[in-house]
Amino acid sequence: MNTATAAETAPDPAQCRSAELEERIRQTPGRFRVMTGDRPTGPLHLGHYFGTLHNRVRLQDLGVDVFVIIADYQVLTDRDLAERLSEHMEGMLLDYLAIGVDPARSTIFNHSAVPALNQLMLPFLSLVSVAELNRNPTVKDEIVHSRQSAVSGLMFTYPVHQAADILFCKGNLVPVGQDQLPHLEVTRTVARRFNERYGAVFPEPDALLSAAPLLLGTDSTKMSKSRGNSIALGATADETARLIRGAKTDAERHITYEPEARPGVSSLVLLAALCLDRDPHAVAEEIGGGGAAALKRTVTDAVNGRMAPIRARRAEYARDMAYVRSVLRDGNERANEIAEATLDEVREVMGGVL
């Protein structure tokens, strides 16, 4: 057999491991602690919802202990200022609660409220070389797409920052996309080297690979908070309809699902299919010769139908911001208790250095 062909068809080890983990989660969910989160740089959108947010609720509902970090400090890795930070943080809290993250079963906290996270950075940074940080492909990509002409040294510490976020609570499971595997490998390296040098304290977390669908923005490029091409979870039905009407398609009238050949049309078809829990090929076939107008009507109805209960819950929570802020306050309290306990362990095995 041709070697290249064999390599191409060989099972992906990370995918195989994720399948094993899914089975173990179903059998013994209490053995797992998930660490995940978002940077508060803008409103969460449909790409986030179908890519990561609904998976957090799924894991929570299975009985996994889920930690969700609002990574406010990490905003400074590629920005001079953390603009509208409080507004974005409160918007994230509303979105988390609206989609079903349950504060009784999941812990929501913000980075800056847990000082021990930054104290862990120092010993963790001592365990990785400058060369290792410099060649991290995810950091390179972040730098290329940064809005700054030059990035600060904080950017190079980004993977170690994430290691502290994951390991402070001894997270052993991190839902990621394929592109985030290098970041998680830094965390695994830090945990392994720390345990070898000082004593066993940290787990080496596993990656739970997401089968997240790729949703493009309304301009047919990557959906992004900063590009203005996304549909926010907090958008109204009318705003959603307007954004979908303005989405880029193509000149061919017959609607098909061909992601490579027709990315804009196919992303809209996929969005409708996800909202309707249907196969995208079937959705495209049903629209058929109706053209872009029929496609956009279908997508609008599907999105607004799927989001209606989420919007209703979001509006209900927004009427009681005192409760919403108390969720973060309680989450910060729990995160601090766990972080301080971990830091005590670290101090003990390091001989009281920290």
Side-chain angles (χ1 to χ4, degrees):
M1 180 180 285
N2 182 281
T3 304
T5 303
E8 288 169 5
T9 57
D12 183 294
Q15 293 284 1
C16 292
R17 177 61 176 160
S18 287
E20 292 173 12
L21 288 166
E22 286 286 0
E23 181 59 31
R24 289 174 57 196
I25 289 168
R26 283 189 288 273
Q27 293 174 357
T28 54
R31 294 180 58 185
F32 294 94
R33 175 170 282 176
V34 161
M35 178 65 210
T36 184
D38 306 280
R39 295 196 304 164
T41 54
L44 295 175
H45 51 64
L46 290 176
H48 294 120
Y49 177 73
F50 287 110
T52 61
L53 299 180
H54 81 292
N55 192 41
R56 298 173 192 177
V57 177
R58 178 184 74 89
L59 291 167
Q60 165 197 276
D61 292 347
L62 285 172
V64 174
D65 189 12
V66 177
F67 278 68
V68 182
I69 185 172
I70 299 177
D72 49 351
Y73 270 176
Q74 290 182 8
V75 173
L76 297 175
T77 54
D78 63 349
R79 287 165 169 75
D80 294 322
L81 297 171
E83 299 174 331
R84 300 168 62 189
L85 188 59
S86 295
E87 176 187 336
H88 292 325
M89 285 177 61
E90 290 191 346
M92 279 187 174
L93 278 166
L94 288 170
D95 288 335
Y96 291 157
L97 295 172
I99 66 166
V101 176
D102 181 358
R105 295 178 291 163
S106 295
T107 302
I108 305 172
F109 68 102
N110 64 297
H111 195 148
S112 60
V114 188
L117 292 179
N118 296 318
Q119 287 180 271
L120 286 173
M121 277 278 287
L122 186 60
F124 285 1
L125 279 170
S126 74
L127 298 168
V128 293
S129 69
V130 172
E132 285 173 318
L133 293 175
N134 198 35
R135 64 173 174 258
N136 184 286
T138 315
V139 170
K140 288 181 179 180
D141 186 65
E142 290 283 349
I143 290 172
V144 167
H145 291 92
S146 170
R147 296 184 298 178
Q148 296 175 315
S149 57
V151 296
S152 70
L154 191 61
M155 174 62 81
F156 289 93
T157 70
Y158 189 28
V160 182
H161 221 160
Q162 287 195 328
D165 296 343
I166 295 165
L167 295 176
F168 93 93
C169 65
K170 301 189 179 178
N172 58 5
L173 196 63
V174 185
V176 293
Q178 194 83 28
D179 62 332
Q180 286 291 309
L181 286 176
H183 265 340
L184 186 58
E185 195 53 43
V186 172
T187 300
R188 290 173 56 82
T189 298
V190 166
R192 183 171 61 254
R193 290 177 182 173
F194 186 95
N195 294 342
E196 290 171 350
R197 182 175 298 184
Y198 299 111
V201 172
F202 298 108
E204 291 184 37
D206 275 303
L208 186 67
L209 279 183
S210 167
L214 176 61
L215 283 174
L216 299 179
T218 52
D219 58 356
S220 293
T221 67
K222 180 181 178 181
M223 191 176 289
S224 169
K225 288 181 279 190
S226 61
R227 294 183 183 180
N229 65 354
S230 59
I231 300 171
L233 295 185
T236 65
D238 287 344
E239 288 169 342
T240 299
R242 176 179 57 79
L243 290 166
I244 293 171
R245 280 197 303 272
K248 184 178 179 181
T249 54
D250 59 34
E252 188 175 338
R253 182 171 179 80
H254 193 84
I255 301 302
T256 58
Y257 182 63
E258 301 174 86
E260 294 295 327
R262 307 181 70 187
V265 166
S266 296
S267 186
L268 286 172
V269 171
L270 178 59
L271 177 54
L274 289 167
C275 289
L276 296 168
D277 292 318
R278 294 183 61 193
D279 179 78
H281 294 282
V283 172
E285 186 177 352
E286 192 171 281
I287 298 168
L295 170 62
K296 291 178 180 181
R297 283 196 300 272
T298 298
V299 176
T300 299
D301 291 344
V303 172
N304 281 335
R306 179 69 176 252
M307 291 295 113
I310 293 174
R311 289 180 185 136
R313 288 193 295 269
R314 196 181 195 277
E316 185 177 348
Y317 283 119
R319 288 191 287 270
D320 190 0
M321 289 306 297
Y323 167 73
V324 172
R325 295 182 186 111
S326 75
V327 167
L328 186 61
R329 187 168 59 249
D330 292 345
N332 288 340
E333 185 176 331
R334 184 183 183 216
N336 269 298
E337 289 175 0
I338 292 170
E340 286 299 329
T342 300
L343 202 56
D344 285 344
E345 286 186 72
V346 169
R347 290 190 183 107
E348 183 177 350
V349 298
M350 291 183 67
V353 173
L354 288 182

